[in-house]
Amino acid sequence: MAFNVDHIRKDFPILSREVNGHPLVYLDNAATSQKPQVVIDCIVDYYSNYNANIHRGVHTLSQEATDKYEEARTTIQTHFNAEFSREIIFTSGTTHGINLVANGFSSLLTEGDEIIVSALEHHSNIVPWQMLCERTGALLKVIPMDETGVLQLSAYKEILSEKTKLVFVNHISNALGTINPVKEIIELAHDVDAAVLIDGAQATSHIKVDVQALDADFYVTSAHKMCGPTGVGMLYGKEIWLNKLPPYQGGGEMIKEVSFEKTTYAGLPHKFEAGTPNICGGIAFGAAIKYLNSIGFNAIKKQEERLLQYATKELLKIEGLKIYGTGAEKTSVISFNIEGIHPYDIGTIVDKLGIAVRTGHHCAQPVMDFFKIPGTVRASFAFYNSKEEVNSLVAAVKRAKLMLQ
Ligand SMILES: *Cc1c(COP(=O)(O)O)cnc(C)c1O
């Protein structure tokens, strides 16, 4: 079926509301996506019809909930092409997944080991590693980027060595939209036997990720950026790595046998899933993935590329407007400033016109420091955004500029 954005917009009830007397123009998709009716229905259906705790009860509701939850795990496994469903760990989101791995590596690293991150990271992919370094005495090294917001692979090759144990890079930068050459980064890390974690929070809504083709050791993402609910996400880990890591949290569900003398842990994936999980969220995550696949990732990519190109062209016509992140490989994120105007002021005025953009450092202060700016205005587009919405954004930014200069 041909891609028709007007048709697709009807799947998202929130897109028909007004904000400050204007039709909502939602351009903060890099922070969180909107939810289609099928995902909302899935949540209502769970609580209306089969809410029960999973993996514990013999009763029918518990069985139904368990089946749906495990079905969602399989949907996620198939979508990301993991070899086994037990390699998919449900988490509360990207941040949780990263912390789980960082914590696990505490017992695998020693003083003098090195770990590498990129200059383009979200705080959630910096701070846990700094904490890991403090605990273990390992050293943190950084892959630098150039003026266009592209990572410098030549510098990466120089800091990689036999001492490197881990490399952590995001697949796509949330601050600039740069798509990083993760396959190459992984290959080079594997040459020195280092493990690689890819933060896919910003990638999985735009591209269909194949963890085996990438040969990633760990891959994390959040459902809420992929049309799913907040508070749920996934950690993919190769089985050999997940078996090496100790459990992150102790509690119910993650044990085999417990006595006061000794406790043995459950196998994968339950070893990492202590306590009652976000059952409804996990099931709705599966529904969101099915929805995205029903649109098709090729169609999604085409529409987002159209919007990116058009918006870039139109915004650059505004005098004094500068876009940060101009690498050839990028997704539909435009981070910009207008000379002499604070990004917050632009964000406030366009909101009065119904337009939702992000302003600030986007949880990536090192990126802002690199460009010597306090922050940017970030417009991030999803496949359900339209060309008319780009026009509204451009008109609103022009108006803000007139008012503020
Ligand atoms: C959103 C985001 C995160 C954090 O995701 P949470 O859902 O808040 O845990 C991490 N990294 C990147 C690149 C992101 O865009």
Side-chain angles (χ1 to χ4, degrees):
M1 220 171 68
F3 183 88
N4 179 335
V5 73
D6 296 327
H7 190 86
I8 283 175
R9 290 176 67 79
K10 294 205 174 77
D11 293 342
F12 294 80
I14 207 171
L15 296 181
S16 56
R17 74 160 276 185
E18 291 198 339
V19 169
N20 296 322
H22 298 270
L24 166 67
V25 175
Y26 185 78
L27 303 179
D28 194 16
N29 295 287
T32 198
S33 61
Q34 294 303 344
K35 319 304 170 200
Q37 192 65 50
V38 280
V39 169
I40 299 168
D41 287 347
C42 174
I43 293 167
V44 172
D45 181 40
Y46 170 78
Y47 284 114
S48 310
N49 295 312
Y50 61 98
N51 170 52
N53 211 331
I54 54 170
H55 301 142
R56 294 167 209 257
V58 289
H59 64 81
T60 303
L61 288 194
S62 173
Q63 203 51 58
E64 283 180 21
T66 304
D67 289 349
K68 293 269 196 194
Y69 192 64
E70 290 308 320
E71 228 177 272
R73 194 192 305 274
T74 309
T75 301
I76 297 167
Q77 175 212 347
T78 308
H79 178 73
F80 291 108
N81 194 30
E83 192 175 359
F84 308 110
S85 67
R86 59 182 178 274
E87 293 176 319
I88 302 295
I89 312 295
F90 278 114
T91 61
S92 68
T94 301
T95 305
H96 177 192
I98 294 170
N99 277 279
L100 189 160
V101 176
N103 192 72
F105 268 92
S106 299
S107 59
L108 301 180
L109 295 184
T110 53
E111 204 167 331
D113 285 342
E114 293 180 358
I115 62 185
I116 294 179
V117 297
S118 92
L120 272 175
E121 298 308 308
H122 189 280
H123 294 166
S124 71
N125 206 19
I126 300 175
V127 183
W129 310 119
Q130 287 173 327
M131 290 161 69
L132 173 63
C133 286
E134 274 168 27
R135 286 195 297 272
T136 59
L139 201 71
L140 193 68
K141 298 209 156 179
V142 181
I143 312 172
M145 64 170 162
D146 66 18
E147 279 295 321
T148 64
V150 171
L151 294 180
Q152 294 176 307
L153 281 188
S154 53
Y156 171 55
K157 286 176 194 158
E158 272 165 36
I159 54 175
L160 259 180
S161 76
E162 303 297 309
K163 289 184 193 161
T164 311
K165 294 292 177 285
L166 281 164
V167 176
F168 307 105
V169 191
N170 59 34
H171 198 158
I172 295 177
S173 153
N174 71 307
L176 306 179
T178 312
I179 304 174
N180 293 315
V182 287
K183 198 166 158 51
E184 213 173 333
I185 288 172
I186 292 168
E187 238 173 70
L188 288 163
H190 286 170
D191 286 346
V192 299
D193 289 329
V196 184
L197 178 143
I198 302 295
D199 169 355
Q202 211 54 244
T204 50
S205 57
H206 302 294
I207 50 184
K208 195 164 159 89
V209 171
D210 180 331
V211 290
Q212 289 191 78
L214 287 178
D215 202 19
D217 301 296
F218 301 98
Y219 197 101
V220 291
T221 195
S222 301
H224 72 93
K225 292 189 179 168
M226 321 176 53
C227 296
T230 54
V232 66
M234 72 109 196
L235 158 68
Y236 158 79
K238 279 184 190 162
E239 186 170 29
I240 45 161
W241 276 112
L242 292 176
N243 281 333
K244 278 185 215 176
L245 299 187
Y248 181 41
Q249 291 180 317
E253 253 351 300
M254 54 75 73
I255 45 84
K256 202 156 123 203
E257 276 177 89
V258 175
S259 73
F260 285 108
E261 287 71 44
K262 186 171 169 50
T263 290
T264 49
Y265 303 125
L268 294 174
H270 306 295
K271 173 177 138 187
F272 293 109
E273 295 182 346
T276 300
N278 183 350
I279 302 165
C280 175
I283 296 168
F285 187 7
I289 285 180
K290 283 186 183 159
Y291 174 77
L292 289 175
N293 281 306
S294 77
I295 308 282
F297 277 83
N298 282 337
I300 288 173
K301 183 164 180 247
K302 262 196 209 142
Q303 171 70 355
E304 291 178 346
E305 270 174 4
R306 257 198 303 267
L307 294 169
L308 175 67
Q309 279 168 18
Y310 180 62
T312 303
K313 184 174 95 202
E314 292 303 309
L315 283 170
L316 283 175
K317 286 181 186 163
I318 300 173
E319 215 189 299
L321 187 144
K322 178 172 174 173
I323 293 177
Y324 301 91
T326 48
E329 298 290 325
K330 68 177 280 190
T331 46
S332 47
V333 169
I334 302 183
S335 231
F336 67 91
N337 275 327
I338 296 179
E339 213 181 331
I341 304 178
H342 198 278
Y344 181 80
D345 294 333
I346 297 175
T348 307
I349 290 178
V350 303
D351 175 60
K352 294 268 186 301
L353 300 165
I355 299 171
V357 292
R358 194 70 153 193
T359 65
H361 55 60
H362 318 298
C363 295
Q365 270 174 352
V367 177
M368 302 300 131
D369 291 346
F370 175 84
F371 290 112
K372 299 189 176 61
I373 49 176
T376 66
V377 182
R378 183 187 69 187
S380 50
F381 305 91
F383 58 91
Y384 46 74
N385 287 125
S386 66
K387 203 174 158 187
E388 291 71 40
E389 289 183 307
V390 174
N391 290 336
S392 302
L393 170 73
V394 173
V397 171
K398 282 182 182 160
R399 187 144 151 207
K401 182 174 182 245
L402 272 179
M403 288 169 71
L404 295 164
Q405 269 184 346

